[in-house]
Amino acid sequence: MWVVRLTLRMPLRLRLIMTSASSVYRSVIWTLTGGEIDVSRRIYEWIEGRAHLRDLFELRPGIVEVLEALKERGLKLGLCANQPAVVLERLERQGIGHYFSNNGISGVLGLRKPDVRLFVRVCQDLGVGPSECIMVGDRIDNDIVPAKLLGMRTVLIRTGRHREQQPRSWDEIPDFEVEDAPGILRAVEKLLDS
C-alpha cells in the first residue's frame, strides 16, 4: 500500500473549479486513476473511512462572534454541508456546535450538495421555508445555485480553493459577496433589514 500526498497544480485546480466538480477529491481521484470507476470508488471510500483520523478543522477568524451575533438576533442557524458525520463532534470540540439547530450534513443525511433535497431537508428540520432562509457558502455551484433555485437569499464568502469560481449566468449571482466573517454578519444584517 502506498499513499500519495497530492498538491493541486493550478491548471488542474482551475479545471476542477471551472467544471464545477461537486467534489474536488472525487475529481482528483478520477483524474489520477484515468477514469477507472472501481478503483476511484475504492480509493475514495478508503479516504472517507479514515476521515476521523484527519482533524483539519479550523475556525475562520471572527466566526464565533458572528454566530453569537446571529443567535442573539433570534435566528435559527442550520448546517447544510458536504462533510462526514465526525464534523458534528469537531463543532462541539470547537465550542460552536450549540449554535446550530440541526445536523444537516451529508455524512448524517446521505445527501450531498448541490442536491436540493439536502437544502429542503435542512429547512424542514429548522421548521422554515426556503424563502425564509439565507444560505452562506463558499461555492457558487454547490451553495449559491441550489439555494437560489429554492428561493433562498444568498451570501458567497470568497475564500478557500473555490474563491475564483464565477457565476455562469446572471441567475447564479449571489445577493452578497464577502471575504471574511465580519462581512458575513454585515451581509446577513442587510438582507434581514431589506
Side-chain angles (χ1 to χ4, degrees):
M1 172 74 66
W2 50 272
V3 178
V4 175
R5 179 167 274 236
L6 175 66
T7 303
L8 291 178
R9 291 186 213 155
M10 194 56 135
L12 177 57
R13 178 176 168 217
L14 287 176
R15 183 178 73 76
L16 295 172
I17 292 169
M18 296 310 292
T19 59
S20 298
S22 62
S23 168
V24 171
Y25 302 114
R26 288 180 185 211
S27 294
V28 168
I29 292 166
W30 178 259
T31 300
L32 292 175
T33 63
E36 291 287 332
I37 296 171
D38 291 335
V39 174
S40 295
R41 283 186 181 148
R42 282 197 313 269
I43 292 171
Y44 184 76
E45 288 168 4
W46 182 83
I47 290 170
E48 284 297 294
R50 282 142 186 82
H52 65 284
L53 301 175
R54 308 184 304 268
D55 197 355
L56 305 175
F57 197 82
E58 184 178 314
L59 295 180
R60 286 188 168 91
I63 200 66
V64 174
E65 293 80 6
V66 169
L67 294 171
E68 185 64 36
L70 294 174
K71 197 74 165 180
E72 284 177 7
R73 255 193 103 131
L75 299 177
K76 290 182 182 179
L77 303 180
L79 295 170
C80 186
N82 290 344
Q83 296 291 327
V86 297
V87 164
L88 296 174
E89 296 167 20
R90 292 176 183 155
L91 292 173
E92 288 300 327
R93 274 200 318 268
Q94 292 286 334
I96 63 170
H98 68 279
Y99 289 109
F100 301 100
S101 301
N102 74 324
N103 60 359
I105 60 172
S106 58
V108 172
L109 299 178
L111 299 166
R112 291 184 62 80
K113 296 186 297 183
D115 189 334
V116 294
R117 294 177 298 171
L118 178 59
F119 292 77
V120 170
R121 176 65 187 273
V122 169
C123 289
Q124 290 170 341
D125 289 350
L126 296 174
V128 298
S131 64
E132 300 173 87
C133 295
I134 300 171
M135 175 63 185
V136 177
D138 63 355
R139 289 183 63 167
I140 292 173
D141 58 342
N142 271 10
D143 300 318
I144 304 305
V145 171
K148 289 180 77 75
L149 282 172
L150 293 171
M152 294 179 182
R153 292 172 290 171
T154 58
V155 177
L156 176 68
I157 180 165
R158 289 234 177 243
T159 184
R161 66 176 165 257
H162 297 284
R163 79 172 65 74
E164 301 300 323
Q165 208 177 41
Q166 296 299 317
R168 296 166 291 193
S169 68
W170 60 89
D171 53 348
E172 294 184 357
I173 297 172
D175 295 300
F176 283 93
E177 289 188 26
V178 302
E179 295 182 357
D180 55 18
I184 293 171
L185 182 58
R186 288 189 299 273
V188 169
E189 287 177 341
K190 285 179 184 176
L191 287 169
L192 292 172
D193 293 339
S194 61

